[in-house]
Amino acid sequence: MLVLAVASVAWSLHGTGVSAASLVEGWGNAREILAGLFPPRTDGELLRSVGAAVVETLQISIAALFFGTAMGLALALPMAGNIGAPAWLALPARWTATVFRSVPELLWALVFVAAVGLGPAAGVYAISLHAAGLLAKLVSEQLEAVDAAPVEAVRLTGATKLATAVLAIVPQARNNIASLVLYQWECNIRGSAIIGFVGAGGIGQALGISMRLFRYEELATLMIALLVLVLSVDRISRFLRGRMGAATR
């Protein structure tokens, strides 16, 4: 297995052309871009525009988290093997989740921009579907990984499959599921920055405009705002996980 892993990495590095020489050769162009980022623009008009973009990005991420979590949990329950859902329900749920997460957020965004037009609504729909597919897979795996002894004990009392899931399976995985949902919120922030390049709203749309117009000082301000937003969401996530008993220090 170790030989296979090393061979796979070497094969991949060779096939993709990754090398120190390529980095050295491209350093001149990178240095020009980095030099253009300083100093960031801080005039009032731009800061108001950036603030509005940050608020829109936050709204996209929360709305997408709501829809993505609802769909993801609905798909995860029949997907988990220890829930015991019938095959006619489990297989379509698994296929649906696979389709949702296999299609990149950027492609979903292009589809919804064409369907509903430019703006944050397209971003919410795109991120929601991708988030639902990811959460369905990860949550179902958390459900399958719970301790089997309490599950079997509840089943021996004559409980139905639904009662067993509610009383013995979901409570054991509750904290891990909450952690996954909070992490998905961070992913939604980053995802909204990417899909904004195709007109799906948020700070990503402003980033795309600045890059296309070579406004690097404006781009630096937007990047700082995105970084502050991600760090803030991370702090909120750590606080909430700590309230649920996680050792977050």
Side-chain angles (χ1 to χ4, degrees), residues 98-121:
T98 300
V99 171
F100 281 175
R101 69 175 180 271
S102 297
V103 178
E105 292 169 330
L106 195 61
L107 184 53
W108 281 126
L110 288 171
V111 171
F112 283 111
V113 164
V116 302
L118 299 172

Side-chain angles (χ1 to χ4, degrees), residues 30-212:
R31 183 172 55 189
E32 181 180 348
I33 294 175
L34 292 174
L37 296 175
F38 298 97
R41 275 186 60 189
T42 56
D43 57 276
E45 182 180 355
L46 176 63
L47 292 179
R48 285 190 293 271
S49 174
V50 171
V54 167
V55 169
E56 190 172 71
T57 298
L58 190 60
Q59 292 172 332
I60 292 172
S61 70
I62 294 174
L65 184 67
F66 171 75
F67 289 117
T69 301
M71 291 187 291
L73 293 179
L75 293 170
L77 289 173
M79 285 171 58
N82 54 353
I83 297 293
W88 61 266
L89 184 59
L91 288 178
R94 189 172 298 277
W95 293 337
T96 302
T98 300
V99 171
F100 281 175
R101 69 175 180 271
S102 297
V103 178
E105 292 169 330
L106 195 61
L107 184 53
W108 281 126
L110 288 171
V111 171
F112 283 111
V113 164
V116 302
L118 299 172
V124 172
Y125 301 142
I127 296 175
S128 296
L129 291 186
H130 194 264
L134 285 176
L135 286 174
K137 175 179 172 57
L138 296 176
V139 170
S140 66
E141 291 176 352
Q142 289 295 330
L143 294 173
E144 292 173 340
V146 301
D147 187 358
V151 179
E152 188 62 24
V154 172
R155 281 179 179 159
L156 290 175
T157 66
T160 63
K161 291 180 179 179
L162 178 59
T164 302
V166 172
L167 297 174
I169 298 176
V170 174
Q172 291 191 73
R174 180 179 55 193
N175 285 350
N176 289 337
I177 291 173
S179 180
L180 289 173
V181 171
L182 290 171
Y183 177 68
Q184 184 60 49
W185 185 21
E186 295 182 38
C187 294
N188 288 356
I189 296 286
R190 291 188 288 270
S192 65
I194 295 172
I195 64 174
F197 281 78
V198 295
I203 200 169
Q205 189 165 339
L207 284 168
I209 294 172
S210 296
M211 290 186 68
R212 284 191 290 269

